[in-house]
Amino acid sequence: MSDTATMQAIAALIPAGARVLDLGCGEGAMLDFLQRQRGCTGYGVELDDANVLACVRRGVNVLQLNLEDGLAMFEDNSFDVVLQIDTLQHLRNAETMLQETARIGRSGIVAFPNFAHWPNRLSVLRGRMPVTRHLPYQWYDTPNIRVGTFKDFEVLATKNRLRILDAFGLNNGQIVRRLPNLCASRAVFHFEHA
């Protein structure tokens, strides 16, 4: 993720100086931003070789791990905040990884493309899977294993006894609090274990 407005909206949820774990950190842009702007410390977790190298070049501490293998190496509450920004939809074990996020972090933040955003609904009504900035792939070559909506995550959070501290949508870098399931291209949730 490199959209500055999105990074700022998510960073505002994270206390200055927090110890952060960024799961699926990509090239490390978010953690780099948090280090520079919020004085945070921590690690990124990434599988892709090129992304790991990009993190190292940015000065971001990174562990090369496959999230599908779990996070057993981390103790309970070992981080202030655990991030899953555009990661959850790529995982086969999404619910387990959400539970692990709540276990190893005092709080967690997830963000993912909101499939219920009105342009996506319109595309489906026209008989086609949506192709957008946040869902940029054709149905046959997408790395997304699943798609979800703002409302779907609320149900999953309740099922897993997670207390939502804040929830909003993002659309073109702007925070959307009114009708986010319909009006936001991305869903953002800040939560803790209840």
Side-chain angles (χ1 to χ4, degrees), residues 75-120:
E75 294 181 19
D76 294 359
N77 296 316
S78 52
F79 292 90
D80 297 313
V81 181
V82 177
L83 303 175
Q84 283 195 57
I85 311 302
D86 292 333
T87 303
L88 204 57
Q89 72 270 17
H90 300 285
L91 299 173
R92 294 192 190 290
N93 61 353
E95 185 173 13
T96 300
M97 193 54 57
L98 183 62
Q99 294 164 351
E100 283 290 273
T101 295
R103 180 186 67 78
I104 63 176
R106 289 180 181 85
S107 72
I109 298 172
V110 298
F112 55 91
N114 175 27
F115 197 72
H117 188 215
W118 73 265
N120 297 340

